[in-house]
């Protein structure tokens, strides 16, 4: 080897050594998980985290070649603590990306801070319409749904079944009220009439007086939005009050998702609509469900799927910039344009960053929400009021 070639080879070797040292020195990407780990939505937060971690583990524990480091805050589904909690992740922990949360009121506060600071945020559940409406932003994404969507799709199905007089019941907060609004819009468009809306404060579960009122009014159908521990108690109380036999109960699928073992016989036969079902018979969903069950010894639910897809959306962004989170605009643009190969079926994002997706009709059979049809195909949130 000539002296010159030796030098060139040495220089090349040095370059390779520095760049691989550089790659090794790349710090992990910091992901801030702000989720409920206590209270009525605790199980939902746990499933979201499990789903998110599963996708990352499937990629060898890294996204775009970079390790993922988690920072966690229990938001307790308490909107009053939300701004302080999100600031812990942004200012104290210096996270690169925020993932959260379940409760719409908490998520609205998170989104406000994310918008002000420009921190990328992926919402893995909370449906607050404003997040992909008036509060939308380039750096805010959702892997789940808007509250309007499952309300609307359930309204379509209730009207198709020929029910004319409906009552609604929910917690009096953004998710409950917006879901009922979506239901009412579709149900009344389909020829029905909502005769009365009943509410109680979140997260109360003293349903008795409201169930007595339903029994007295005798509507054709009752539409309910509850989730987590509250949904378990509501479905059991509805049955125990003798109403299940006389007045059909429908709801957005959260009423029976992740809750069936606890609800037992009281949930059997209930019809709901949602962007997921246990028995979507595709290789993608089957692989997801098997992997989840083997990893965690528990079956996934809609929340697990949404957490998994939040990680897929982040991966789509990171892959486009080879893990360089500093190239934020390019990363966000790639997330915006991604087609996500979700267990629910492939989806894309609306211009406001909310999934455009099919809403399935599901019926409870045993411990499963079995898909019996599609309520609305490719339902896009209207994204009212969003200016980006
Ligand atoms: C919400 O607060 O947006 C929310 C909570 C639980 C659900 C769905 C929506 O299952």
């Amino acid at each position: 080897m000539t002296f010159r070639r030796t030098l060139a080879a040495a220089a090349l070797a040095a370059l390779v050594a520095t760049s691989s040292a550089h790659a090794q020195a790349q710090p992990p990407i910091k992901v801030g998980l702000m989720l409920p780990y206590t209270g009525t939505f605790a199980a939902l937060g746990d499933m979201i985290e499990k789903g998110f971690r599963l996708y990352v583990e499937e990629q060898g524990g890294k996204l775009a070649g970079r390790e993922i480091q988690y920072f966690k805050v229990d938001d307790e589904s308490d909107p009053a603590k939300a701004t302080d909690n999100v600031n812990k992740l942004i200012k104290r922990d210096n996270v690169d990306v925020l993932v959260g949360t379940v409760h719409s009121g908490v998520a609205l506060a998170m989104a406000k801070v994310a918008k002000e600071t420009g921190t990328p945020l992926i919402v893995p559940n909370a449906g607050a319409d404003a997040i992909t409406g008036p509060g939308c932003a380039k750096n805010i994404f959702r892997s789940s749904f808007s509250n309007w969507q499952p309300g609307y799709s359930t309204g379509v199905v209730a009207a198709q079944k020929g029910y004319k007089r409906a009552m609604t019941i929910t917690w009096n907060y953004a998710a409950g009220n917006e879901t009922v609004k979506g239901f009412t819009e579709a149900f009344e468009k389909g020829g029905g009439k909502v005769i009365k809306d009943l509410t109680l404060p979140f997260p109360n579960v003293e349903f008795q007086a409201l169930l007595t009122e339903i029994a007295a009014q005798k509507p054709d159908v009752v539409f309910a939005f509850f989730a987590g521990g509250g949904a378990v108690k509501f479905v059991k109380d509805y049955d125990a009050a003798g109403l299940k036999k006389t007045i059909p109960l429908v709801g957005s699928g959260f009423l029976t998702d992740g809750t069936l073992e606890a609800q037992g016989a009281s949930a059997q036969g209930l019809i709901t609509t949602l962007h997921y079902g246990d028995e979507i018979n595709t290789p993608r969903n089957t692989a997801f469900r098997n992997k989840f069950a083997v990893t965690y010894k528990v079956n996934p639910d809609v929340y697990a799927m949404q957490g998994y897809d939040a990680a897929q959306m982040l991966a789509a962004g990171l892959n486009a910039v080879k893990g360089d989170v500093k190239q934020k605009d390019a990363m966000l643009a790639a997330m915006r344009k991604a087609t996500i190969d979700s267990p629910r079926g492939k989806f894309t994002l609306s211009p406001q960053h909310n999934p455009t997706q099919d809403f399935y009709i599901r019926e409870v059979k045993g411990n499963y929400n079995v898909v019996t049809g599609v309520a609305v195909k490719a339902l896009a949130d209207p994204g009212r009021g969003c200016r980006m």
Side-chain angles (χ1 to χ4, degrees), residues 122-125 141-145 275 305-311 313 342 344 347 349 353-355 357:
I122 305 173
V123 180
N125 183 70
F141 292 80
R142 189 143 51 189
S143 66
S144 52
F145 58 91
H275 51 296
M305 179 278 286
Q306 292 170 166
Y308 187 83
D309 287 347
M313 286 167 66
S342 169
R344 77 189 86 173
F347 72 84
L349 294 174
H353 303 175
N354 189 68
Q357 54 195 339

Side-chain angles (χ1 to χ4, degrees), residues 41 44 101-105 125-128 145 147 171 173-176 179 202 225-228 254-255 302-303:
F41 290 158
L44 289 58
T101 185
V102 169
H103 182 287
S104 273
N125 183 70
F145 58 91
N147 289 324
W171 285 308
Y173 83 117
T179 308
F202 176 88
F225 167 84
F226 293 106
F254 309 113
L255 198 61
V302 64
Y303 309 104

